[in-house]
Amino acid sequence: LQADLLAQIAAADTPDALEAVRVAAMGKQGQVTQLLKTLGGMSPEDRAVAGPAFNGLREAITAALAAKKAALDEAALNAKLAAEKQDMTLPVSLPATGTIHPISQVMDELAGIFADLGFAVASGPEIEDDWHNFTALNIPESHPARAMHDTFYIDGQPNMVLRTHTSPVQIRTMVGQKPPIRIIAPGRVYRSDSDATHTPMFHQIEGLVIDKGITLAHLRWTLETFIKAFFEVDDVVLRFRPSYFPFTEPSVEVDVGYSAKTGKPAGQGQVDKWLEVLGSGMVHPRVIAACGLDPNEWQGFAFGTGVDRLAMLKYGLTDLRAFFDGDIKWLKHNGFSA
Ligand code: PHE
């Protein structure tokens, strides 16, 4: 019987098969169990002989079952490890990444274009004080322009606002560094205004040049150069319309001649509509003086334009709200990529 059972144990090649052998041998009705039960009915002499033999059998089978179980467990573990083995030398597939947001991309493009023209990038806080956002820009208290800006004020801080434009960076730059100055300042601005074409947060890029003998002609050349580079066109016509900003004098609003056919800015003769793209002008002498500079010595121009609008024009986007949805599919479809 022992040899037979040991052979069965050796032949059991799965945990289930081994369990079946165990039950057949050591279970309640098992052969070994039955055999052990016969000891009770034996004479003491017979039991003295059979007892050690049967118990030896039981121990041998128990040990063989345990050894086989350990062997099967180890084999199972090895098989599992082999199945889960990772080839660390395989090339890694990169996880899906986000894309550059069109606004960020346009701001980067603009920074690159202006860097070529010698403009550094300047910045300022989005929570701005009244003096930088208004007063130093020749917008004193009770000036109607303050109301026009739909300003967000900060609760409990009467002198703090969310900056309504990037123009306070002009002030910070003129106060903080000596002319000559050539900077652009891209960033977020806030106005309490929300409809299909306005969002309460939007993006502007400010430009400022302060030097000696700067004129509107420099402004015109700079804007033409930037519009051509940004829209990747060879020719452009700009229309300067007289306008009013408290911090520039004279002030001009600039329209770009646009061709409906190409959907891009175009040169003389190909223009069929005008698009307003920015506000600008010669920096008001009072603004220069408010920053501690002598307006008789230093002059300059400034401009400010909406980045969101430039992005829409360049990439043919129609819905401002898409900028804020954060839809990766939309970003990818529109060709924005890292
Ligand atoms: N700050 C103005 C605006 O937000 C734009 C501007 C900037 C105009 C610089 C003139 C000069 O509308």
mmCIF file of all heavy atoms in Angstrom, residues 78-117:
data_model
loop_
_atom_site.group_PDB
_atom_site.id
_atom_site.type_symbol
_atom_site.label_atom_id
_atom_site.label_comp_id
_atom_site.label_asym_id
_atom_site.label_seq_id
_atom_site.Cartn_x
_atom_site.Cartn_y
_atom_site.Cartn_z
ATOM 1 N N ASN A 78 7.083 29.564 -9.370
ATOM 2 C CA ASN A 78 8.048 29.798 -10.453
ATOM 3 C C ASN A 78 7.332 30.106 -11.770
ATOM 4 O O ASN A 78 7.747 30.987 -12.521
ATOM 5 C CB ASN A 78 8.959 28.589 -10.636
ATOM 6 C CG ASN A 78 10.001 28.539 -9.530
ATOM 7 O OD1 ASN A 78 10.274 29.550 -8.888
ATOM 8 N ND2 ASN A 78 10.562 27.366 -9.288
ATOM 9 N N ALA A 79 6.244 29.369 -12.014
ATOM 10 C CA ALA A 79 5.503 29.586 -13.263
ATOM 11 C C ALA A 79 4.918 30.997 -13.269
ATOM 12 O O ALA A 79 4.947 31.709 -14.274
ATOM 13 C CB ALA A 79 4.389 28.548 -13.395
ATOM 14 N N LYS A 80 4.405 31.399 -12.079
ATOM 15 C CA LYS A 80 3.799 32.732 -11.986
ATOM 16 C C LYS A 80 4.865 33.808 -12.218
ATOM 17 O O LYS A 80 4.658 34.773 -12.958
ATOM 18 C CB LYS A 80 3.187 32.871 -10.591
ATOM 19 C CG LYS A 80 2.317 34.092 -10.435
ATOM 20 C CD LYS A 80 1.512 33.999 -9.127
ATOM 21 C CE LYS A 80 0.602 35.202 -9.019
ATOM 22 N NZ LYS A 80 0.946 36.089 -7.907
ATOM 23 N N LEU A 81 6.019 33.607 -11.574
ATOM 24 C CA LEU A 81 7.092 34.587 -11.745
ATOM 25 C C LEU A 81 7.530 34.663 -13.207
ATOM 26 O O LEU A 81 7.760 35.741 -13.741
ATOM 27 C CB LEU A 81 8.285 34.232 -10.856
ATOM 28 C CG LEU A 81 8.076 34.494 -9.364
ATOM 29 C CD1 LEU A 81 9.275 33.991 -8.558
ATOM 30 C CD2 LEU A 81 7.857 35.977 -9.105
ATOM 31 N N ALA A 82 7.612 33.483 -13.831
ATOM 32 C CA ALA A 82 8.052 33.477 -15.227
ATOM 33 C C ALA A 82 7.033 34.207 -16.105
ATOM 34 O O ALA A 82 7.397 34.966 -16.999
ATOM 35 C CB ALA A 82 8.232 32.036 -15.712
ATOM 36 N N ALA A 83 5.740 33.988 -15.782
ATOM 37 C CA ALA A 83 4.687 34.619 -16.592
ATOM 38 C C ALA A 83 4.694 36.137 -16.405
ATOM 39 O O ALA A 83 4.371 36.889 -17.315
ATOM 40 C CB ALA A 83 3.325 34.047 -16.210
ATOM 41 N N GLU A 84 5.059 36.562 -15.196
ATOM 42 C CA GLU A 84 5.001 38.005 -14.930
ATOM 43 C C GLU A 84 6.324 38.696 -15.197
ATOM 44 O O GLU A 84 6.486 39.876 -14.928
ATOM 45 C CB GLU A 84 4.612 38.232 -13.472
ATOM 46 C CG GLU A 84 3.153 37.912 -13.223
ATOM 47 C CD GLU A 84 2.785 37.997 -11.751
ATOM 48 O OE1 GLU A 84 3.669 38.306 -10.934
ATOM 49 O OE2 GLU A 84 1.605 37.735 -11.442
ATOM 50 N N LYS A 85 7.245 37.973 -15.734
ATOM 51 C CA LYS A 85 8.581 38.545 -15.939
ATOM 52 C C LYS A 85 8.517 39.728 -16.889
ATOM 53 O O LYS A 85 7.847 39.692 -17.907
ATOM 54 C CB LYS A 85 9.488 37.449 -16.517
ATOM 55 C CG LYS A 85 10.929 37.871 -16.578
ATOM 56 C CD LYS A 85 11.788 36.668 -16.933
ATOM 57 C CE LYS A 85 13.132 37.172 -17.412
ATOM 58 N NZ LYS A 85 13.914 36.107 -17.997
ATOM 59 N N GLN A 86 9.188 40.772 -16.513
ATOM 60 C CA GLN A 86 9.197 41.976 -17.349
ATOM 61 C C GLN A 86 10.552 42.078 -18.029
ATOM 62 O O GLN A 86 11.578 41.918 -17.387
ATOM 63 C CB GLN A 86 9.021 43.220 -16.465
ATOM 64 C CG GLN A 86 7.815 43.125 -15.570
ATOM 65 C CD GLN A 86 6.699 44.036 -16.034
ATOM 66 O OE1 GLN A 86 6.838 44.744 -17.018
ATOM 67 N NE2 GLN A 86 5.581 43.987 -15.338
ATOM 68 N N ASP A 87 10.497 42.415 -19.306
ATOM 69 C CA ASP A 87 11.744 42.633 -20.022
ATOM 70 C C ASP A 87 12.128 44.107 -19.870
ATOM 71 O O ASP A 87 11.563 44.984 -20.508
ATOM 72 C CB ASP A 87 11.559 42.277 -21.502
ATOM 73 C CG ASP A 87 12.866 42.459 -22.257
ATOM 74 O OD1 ASP A 87 13.841 42.982 -21.655
ATOM 75 O OD2 ASP A 87 12.911 42.076 -23.433
ATOM 76 N N MET A 88 13.074 44.317 -18.970
ATOM 77 C CA MET A 88 13.445 45.698 -18.662
ATOM 78 C C MET A 88 14.193 46.371 -19.809
ATOM 79 O O MET A 88 14.454 47.570 -19.761
ATOM 80 C CB MET A 88 14.327 45.742 -17.406
ATOM 81 C CG MET A 88 13.579 45.336 -16.168
ATOM 82 S SD MET A 88 12.110 46.357 -15.971
ATOM 83 C CE MET A 88 11.456 45.716 -14.455
ATOM 84 N N THR A 89 14.556 45.596 -20.811
ATOM 85 C CA THR A 89 15.304 46.208 -21.912
ATOM 86 C C THR A 89 14.369 46.682 -23.025
ATOM 87 O O THR A 89 14.810 47.303 -23.978
ATOM 88 C CB THR A 89 16.302 45.203 -22.511
ATOM 89 O OG1 THR A 89 15.570 44.146 -23.121
ATOM 90 C CG2 THR A 89 17.217 44.647 -21.444
ATOM 91 N N LEU A 90 13.039 46.361 -22.880
ATOM 92 C CA LEU A 90 12.111 46.828 -23.912
ATOM 93 C C LEU A 90 12.069 48.352 -23.917
ATOM 94 O O LEU A 90 12.156 48.980 -22.873
ATOM 95 C CB LEU A 90 10.694 46.315 -23.618
ATOM 96 C CG LEU A 90 10.383 44.875 -24.007
ATOM 97 C CD1 LEU A 90 8.978 44.531 -23.562
ATOM 98 C CD2 LEU A 90 10.522 44.689 -25.507
ATOM 99 N N PRO A 91 11.907 48.962 -25.097
ATOM 100 C CA PRO A 91 11.784 50.421 -25.119
ATOM 101 C C PRO A 91 10.502 50.862 -24.422
ATOM 102 O O PRO A 91 9.474 50.202 -24.544
ATOM 103 C CB PRO A 91 11.732 50.768 -26.614
ATOM 104 C CG PRO A 91 11.457 49.499 -27.309
ATOM 105 C CD PRO A 91 11.867 48.358 -26.432
ATOM 106 N N VAL A 92 10.574 51.932 -23.680
ATOM 107 C CA VAL A 92 9.432 52.419 -22.901
ATOM 108 C C VAL A 92 8.497 53.211 -23.811
ATOM 109 O O VAL A 92 8.957 54.032 -24.597
ATOM 110 C CB VAL A 92 9.937 53.355 -21.780
ATOM 111 C CG1 VAL A 92 8.771 53.919 -21.001
ATOM 112 C CG2 VAL A 92 10.883 52.605 -20.870
ATOM 113 N N SER A 93 7.188 52.926 -23.717
ATOM 114 C CA SER A 93 6.271 53.799 -24.449
ATOM 115 C C SER A 93 5.880 54.933 -23.501
ATOM 116 O O SER A 93 5.462 54.697 -22.375
ATOM 117 C CB SER A 93 5.044 53.040 -24.921
ATOM 118 O OG SER A 93 4.365 52.514 -23.816
ATOM 119 N N LEU A 94 6.044 56.142 -23.938
ATOM 120 C CA LEU A 94 5.822 57.284 -23.064
ATOM 121 C C LEU A 94 4.343 57.433 -22.740
ATOM 122 O O LEU A 94 3.496 57.178 -23.589
ATOM 123 C CB LEU A 94 6.326 58.555 -23.740
ATOM 124 C CG LEU A 94 7.834 58.615 -23.905
ATOM 125 C CD1 LEU A 94 8.215 59.809 -24.759
ATOM 126 C CD2 LEU A 94 8.514 58.695 -22.554
ATOM 127 N N PRO A 95 4.032 57.828 -21.516
ATOM 128 C CA PRO A 95 2.621 58.050 -21.183
ATOM 129 C C PRO A 95 2.086 59.237 -21.981
ATOM 130 O O PRO A 95 2.856 60.088 -22.415
ATOM 131 C CB PRO A 95 2.674 58.385 -19.694
ATOM 132 C CG PRO A 95 4.062 58.851 -19.443
ATOM 133 C CD PRO A 95 4.939 58.136 -20.425
ATOM 134 N N ALA A 96 0.771 59.254 -22.166
ATOM 135 C CA ALA A 96 0.159 60.378 -22.891
ATOM 136 C C ALA A 96 0.460 61.671 -22.149
ATOM 137 O O ALA A 96 0.357 61.737 -20.930
ATOM 138 C CB ALA A 96 -1.356 60.176 -22.979
ATOM 139 N N THR A 97 0.859 62.677 -22.867
ATOM 140 C CA THR A 97 1.166 63.943 -22.228
ATOM 141 C C THR A 97 0.147 64.992 -22.657
ATOM 142 O O THR A 97 -0.587 64.796 -23.615
ATOM 143 C CB THR A 97 2.552 64.439 -22.646
ATOM 144 O OG1 THR A 97 2.604 64.453 -24.073
ATOM 145 C CG2 THR A 97 3.635 63.543 -22.100
ATOM 146 N N GLY A 98 0.129 66.085 -21.971
ATOM 147 C CA GLY A 98 -0.718 67.200 -22.365
ATOM 148 C C GLY A 98 -0.094 67.922 -23.543
ATOM 149 O O GLY A 98 0.904 67.478 -24.110
ATOM 150 N N THR A 99 -0.723 69.004 -23.937
ATOM 151 C CA THR A 99 -0.170 69.785 -25.037
ATOM 152 C C THR A 99 -0.020 71.224 -24.572
ATOM 153 O O THR A 99 -0.565 71.610 -23.551
ATOM 154 C CB THR A 99 -1.109 69.769 -26.262
ATOM 155 O OG1 THR A 99 -2.351 70.335 -25.866
ATOM 156 C CG2 THR A 99 -1.333 68.379 -26.788
ATOM 157 N N ILE A 100 0.736 71.964 -25.325
ATOM 158 C CA ILE A 100 0.876 73.390 -25.024
ATOM 159 C C ILE A 100 -0.461 74.067 -25.314
ATOM 160 O O ILE A 100 -1.050 73.851 -26.369
ATOM 161 C CB ILE A 100 1.970 74.003 -25.920
ATOM 162 C CG1 ILE A 100 3.320 73.360 -25.649
ATOM 163 C CG2 ILE A 100 2.021 75.521 -25.738
ATOM 164 C CD1 ILE A 100 4.047 73.888 -24.454
ATOM 165 N N HIS A 101 -0.938 74.834 -24.384
ATOM 166 C CA HIS A 101 -2.188 75.550 -24.616
ATOM 167 C C HIS A 101 -1.954 76.656 -25.652
ATOM 168 O O HIS A 101 -0.896 77.283 -25.655
ATOM 169 C CB HIS A 101 -2.665 76.160 -23.296
ATOM 170 C CG HIS A 101 -4.083 76.632 -23.344
ATOM 171 N ND1 HIS A 101 -4.419 77.851 -23.855
ATOM 172 C CD2 HIS A 101 -5.238 76.024 -22.978
ATOM 173 C CE1 HIS A 101 -5.741 77.994 -23.780
ATOM 174 N NE2 HIS A 101 -6.253 76.890 -23.252
ATOM 175 N N PRO A 102 -2.945 76.857 -26.554
ATOM 176 C CA PRO A 102 -2.748 77.869 -27.605
ATOM 177 C C PRO A 102 -2.356 79.248 -27.064
ATOM 178 O O PRO A 102 -1.573 79.948 -27.694
ATOM 179 C CB PRO A 102 -4.097 77.924 -28.316
ATOM 180 C CG PRO A 102 -5.030 77.095 -27.519
ATOM 181 C CD PRO A 102 -4.214 76.142 -26.722
ATOM 182 N N ILE A 103 -2.908 79.610 -25.915
ATOM 183 C CA ILE A 103 -2.557 80.921 -25.352
ATOM 184 C C ILE A 103 -1.074 80.952 -24.974
ATOM 185 O O ILE A 103 -0.355 81.906 -25.275
ATOM 186 C CB ILE A 103 -3.408 81.223 -24.092
ATOM 187 C CG1 ILE A 103 -4.895 81.195 -24.421
ATOM 188 C CG2 ILE A 103 -3.007 82.557 -23.479
ATOM 189 C CD1 ILE A 103 -5.361 82.281 -25.333
ATOM 190 N N SER A 104 -0.636 79.867 -24.313
ATOM 191 C CA SER A 104 0.780 79.809 -23.930
ATOM 192 C C SER A 104 1.647 79.803 -25.176
ATOM 193 O O SER A 104 2.696 80.442 -25.222
ATOM 194 C CB SER A 104 1.066 78.536 -23.126
ATOM 195 O OG SER A 104 0.213 78.452 -22.023
ATOM 196 N N GLN A 105 1.183 79.050 -26.177
ATOM 197 C CA GLN A 105 1.976 78.963 -27.398
ATOM 198 C C GLN A 105 2.112 80.334 -28.057
ATOM 199 O O GLN A 105 3.205 80.728 -28.473
ATOM 200 C CB GLN A 105 1.329 77.969 -28.370
ATOM 201 C CG GLN A 105 2.130 77.830 -29.651
ATOM 202 C CD GLN A 105 1.745 76.585 -30.418
ATOM 203 O OE1 GLN A 105 1.584 75.503 -29.844
ATOM 204 N NE2 GLN A 105 1.576 76.723 -31.718
ATOM 205 N N VAL A 106 0.997 81.043 -28.123
ATOM 206 C CA VAL A 106 1.043 82.371 -28.749
ATOM 207 C C VAL A 106 1.936 83.318 -27.928
ATOM 208 O O VAL A 106 2.716 84.093 -28.482
ATOM 209 C CB VAL A 106 -0.383 82.925 -28.923
ATOM 210 C CG1 VAL A 106 -0.365 84.425 -29.190
ATOM 211 C CG2 VAL A 106 -1.075 82.196 -30.071
ATOM 212 N N MET A 107 1.844 83.232 -26.611
ATOM 213 C CA MET A 107 2.700 84.102 -25.789
ATOM 214 C C MET A 107 4.176 83.758 -26.019
ATOM 215 O O MET A 107 5.024 84.657 -26.092
ATOM 216 C CB MET A 107 2.312 83.999 -24.320
ATOM 217 C CG MET A 107 0.909 84.565 -24.082
ATOM 218 S SD MET A 107 0.588 85.278 -22.462
ATOM 219 C CE MET A 107 0.380 83.848 -21.471
ATOM 220 N N ASP A 108 4.464 82.459 -26.154
ATOM 221 C CA ASP A 108 5.854 82.063 -26.450
ATOM 222 C C ASP A 108 6.291 82.584 -27.816
ATOM 223 O O ASP A 108 7.417 83.056 -27.988
ATOM 224 C CB ASP A 108 5.994 80.534 -26.439
ATOM 225 C CG ASP A 108 5.890 79.961 -25.035
ATOM 226 O OD1 ASP A 108 5.899 80.758 -24.067
ATOM 227 O OD2 ASP A 108 5.787 78.725 -24.895
ATOM 228 N N GLU A 109 5.385 82.452 -28.807
ATOM 229 C CA GLU A 109 5.715 82.943 -30.148
ATOM 230 C C GLU A 109 6.026 84.441 -30.109
ATOM 231 O O GLU A 109 7.008 84.905 -30.700
ATOM 232 C CB GLU A 109 4.543 82.705 -31.117
ATOM 233 C CG GLU A 109 4.347 81.247 -31.522
ATOM 234 C CD GLU A 109 3.027 81.018 -32.296
ATOM 235 O OE1 GLU A 109 2.382 82.013 -32.704
ATOM 236 O OE2 GLU A 109 2.652 79.856 -32.460
ATOM 237 N N LEU A 110 5.149 85.173 -29.400
ATOM 238 C CA LEU A 110 5.341 86.626 -29.330
ATOM 239 C C LEU A 110 6.646 86.966 -28.617
ATOM 240 O O LEU A 110 7.395 87.856 -29.060
ATOM 241 C CB LEU A 110 4.148 87.276 -28.613
ATOM 242 C CG LEU A 110 2.819 87.196 -29.379
ATOM 243 C CD1 LEU A 110 1.654 87.649 -28.502
ATOM 244 C CD2 LEU A 110 2.870 88.032 -30.649
ATOM 245 N N ALA A 111 6.930 86.248 -27.533
ATOM 246 C CA ALA A 111 8.185 86.518 -26.814
ATOM 247 C C ALA A 111 9.373 86.277 -27.740
ATOM 248 O O ALA A 111 10.350 87.034 -27.714
ATOM 249 C CB ALA A 111 8.277 85.633 -25.561
ATOM 250 N N GLY A 112 9.268 85.234 -28.589
ATOM 251 C CA GLY A 112 10.355 84.940 -29.527
ATOM 252 C C GLY A 112 10.512 86.039 -30.567
ATOM 253 O O GLY A 112 11.633 86.487 -30.860
ATOM 254 N N ILE A 113 9.388 86.488 -31.095
ATOM 255 C CA ILE A 113 9.429 87.546 -32.122
ATOM 256 C C ILE A 113 10.036 88.821 -31.538
ATOM 257 O O ILE A 113 10.917 89.449 -32.131
ATOM 258 C CB ILE A 113 8.001 87.820 -32.654
ATOM 259 C CG1 ILE A 113 7.522 86.627 -33.484
ATOM 260 C CG2 ILE A 113 7.970 89.116 -33.466
ATOM 261 C CD1 ILE A 113 6.027 86.639 -33.791
ATOM 262 N N PHE A 114 9.567 89.189 -30.339
ATOM 263 C CA PHE A 114 10.070 90.431 -29.749
ATOM 264 C C PHE A 114 11.496 90.285 -29.235
ATOM 265 O O PHE A 114 12.248 91.264 -29.196
ATOM 266 C CB PHE A 114 9.120 90.934 -28.660
ATOM 267 C CG PHE A 114 7.931 91.660 -29.234
ATOM 268 C CD1 PHE A 114 6.689 91.042 -29.334
ATOM 269 C CD2 PHE A 114 8.079 92.952 -29.733
ATOM 270 C CE1 PHE A 114 5.609 91.712 -29.890
ATOM 271 C CE2 PHE A 114 7.001 93.625 -30.297
ATOM 272 C CZ PHE A 114 5.768 93.003 -30.377
ATOM 273 N N ALA A 115 11.880 89.068 -28.868
ATOM 274 C CA ALA A 115 13.282 88.869 -28.461
ATOM 275 C C ALA A 115 14.200 89.223 -29.620
ATOM 276 O O ALA A 115 15.251 89.844 -29.441
ATOM 277 C CB ALA A 115 13.509 87.423 -28.011
ATOM 278 N N ASP A 116 13.788 88.848 -30.836
ATOM 279 C CA ASP A 116 14.599 89.176 -32.018
ATOM 280 C C ASP A 116 14.703 90.686 -32.222
ATOM 281 O O ASP A 116 15.639 91.164 -32.864
ATOM 282 C CB ASP A 116 13.992 88.538 -33.280
ATOM 283 C CG ASP A 116 14.161 87.023 -33.283
ATOM 284 O OD1 ASP A 116 14.976 86.524 -32.474
ATOM 285 O OD2 ASP A 116 13.489 86.353 -34.085
ATOM 286 N N LEU A 117 13.727 91.434 -31.709
ATOM 287 C CA LEU A 117 13.765 92.892 -31.844
ATOM 288 C C LEU A 117 14.408 93.546 -30.615
ATOM 289 O O LEU A 117 14.350 94.761 -30.451
ATOM 290 C CB LEU A 117 12.336 93.442 -32.034
ATOM 291 C CG LEU A 117 11.549 92.900 -33.236
ATOM 292 C CD1 LEU A 117 10.151 93.511 -33.275
ATOM 293 C CD2 LEU A 117 12.281 93.200 -34.540
#
